Amino acid sequence: MNRTLVKQALEDNLLAERIRIQGWIRTRRDAKSFSFLELNDGSCLKNLQVVVDAGLPDYRRLPEATTGAAVAVEGRLVESQGKGQSREVVADSLEIVGVADQTYPLQKKGHTQEYLRTIAHLRPRTNLFGSVFRVRSRLAQAVHRFFLGRDFVLIHSPIITANDCEGAGELFQVTTRGTPASPAGSDRNFFGQPTYLTVSGQLSAEAFACALSNVYTFGPTFRAENSNTSRHANEFWMIEPEMAFCDLAGNMDLAESFVKYLIQDIRTHCPQELELFQRFVDRELASRLDFVLGNPFKRLSYAEAVAILQRSGKNFQFPVEYGVNLQSEHERYLTEEHFRQPVTVHDYPRDSKPFYMRTNDDGRTVAAMDVLVPGIGELVGGSQREEREDVLRSQFERHGLDSQKYRWYLELRRYGTVPHSGFGLGFERLVMFVTGLANIRDVIPFARTPGSAEF
Ligand code: 4AD
Ligand code: MG
């Protein structure tokens, strides 16, 4: 008999049919002449209640049907008699697929998120983490639908690269040294030059935008920054659209529509999960998401942002003056206290930004933009790109970069160069924003952070 998922049993037109469901037992309650199993298979938040009559031959297996055990049940799907659930299965067979003994750590509800991180292989079996990862999956697919609907072409940018796109030196080197592929003492670079795990697919995306017009990448990126914060991971996923014939204003417009589209998609398609986050994670989640959907993002220049911060009267740990990088305390003041909404800050001082950003006419700032959101800080970082070969060359000099290594990137400026723009949206930060979870470790299946790669 084919398997029916719990989601299908609860939502599809299957009443009165005989079905087979398979899943893990959340709880068992024994009455005099029958038992109730709460079965969850992760296909949706809800459990399906199974009624096992004491008269069934398989009833003798019931002691093995403990919390955490995997079972397969066949029986008729009926309208539920009891309160609290709409449908239940009246079992006519019960098979124990895999037992779970008394050491199963998810016996009780109410474990802390910190504790659940130590059992990252089991936490998807909880309501909270099952919901987080269903929402993450839905968001990833919404990303593709958004771009498909706008005729963007998906580019698979390389994971192993020779460039440091962001110029921050936070690179993991890729090498065969010390492995059987490279005997001790042999010092040869496998790729003929040092290579690293990519920090960004942007440079590849630029080449393809200057051929296919509107493109995007969506892949893992890696940064060796040793910052153990709730918003940084060493391996995270980034979505990077890149558009030819597009300036900074068009770039900001796309970022805003993109963020709104993704939130709307979850608002429409994951109501049960959102309700759970609202109840157990963040009481203001729904109103915040609705506010974001209903209002234009506030746009202001870096200079205006600095002026607001200086006038705030706040005693920041990092004092604010024109030219400094905005720290997360500053970003949070702007979005959480001053504007209380997403804010797009644009036109940053050139010296604080990577080589590829387009220099503005004032010669001091670049056409950069960051989207900051409440609770997270920076969600999106992007810019218009420097499309003028001579200016780009002088940028390489200013940043102490060897223009020989960027020969192909410079050629994009020699042959049919065009204004073009793009941004990167940190996928985990988006999942945090949509779920209300405060720690990036709780929105990645198995997080990579300094000192931690157990799973
Ligand atoms: O601002 P970033 O460094 O921009 C770039 O990498 C550009 N090349 C993107 C582009 O223009 N194509 O990173 C983009 C976003 C940030 O806004 C943030 O959301 C996320 O990536 N991000 C991180 N997320 C988790 N952990 C980290 N360590 C992150 N570093 C950046
Ligand atoms: Mg940034």
Side-chain angles (χ1 to χ4, degrees), residues 139-151:
L139 276 171
Q141 293 169 39
V143 165
H144 291 301
R145 260 194 312 279
F146 175 85
F147 288 118
L148 193 62
R150 284 169 173 71
D151 294 318

Side-chain angles (χ1 to χ4, degrees), residues 166 200 202 223 225 233 236 238 240 378-379 381 385 424 426:
E166 296 308 296
S200 161
Q202 177 193 323
R223 298 200 183 171
E225 53 198 337
F236 61 99
M238 191 159 42
E240 297 184 90
E378 182 187 335
L379 174 63
R385 319 308 188 186

Side-chain angles (χ1 to χ4, degrees), residues 153-166 196-221 238 240-244 355-356 385 405-406 408-410 412-413 420-423:
V153 178
L154 171 63
I155 306 299
H156 294 123
S157 51
I159 289 170
I160 300 174
T161 65
N163 69 64
D164 176 9
C165 177
E166 296 308 296
Y196 313 93
L197 295 178
T198 186
V199 298
S200 161
Q202 177 193 323
L203 305 189
S204 308
E206 282 187 57
F208 275 73
C210 293
L212 306 181
S213 288
N214 292 335
V215 304
Y216 71 108
T217 70
F218 185 1
T221 48
M238 191 159 42
E240 297 184 90
E242 190 72 33
M243 294 166 288
F355 69 87
Y356 54 73
R385 319 308 188 186
K405 282 188 63 185
Y406 293 87
W408 65 270
Y409 189 73
L410 279 160
L412 297 171
R413 278 72 184 164
H420 60 289
S421 302
F423 61 80

Side-chain angles (χ1 to χ4, degrees), residues 166 223 353 357 369-370 378 380-382 424 429:
E166 296 308 296
R223 298 200 183 171
K353 289 291 184 183
M357 295 189 175
M369 63 102 173
D370 280 357
E378 182 187 335
V380 168
R429 294 193 185 175

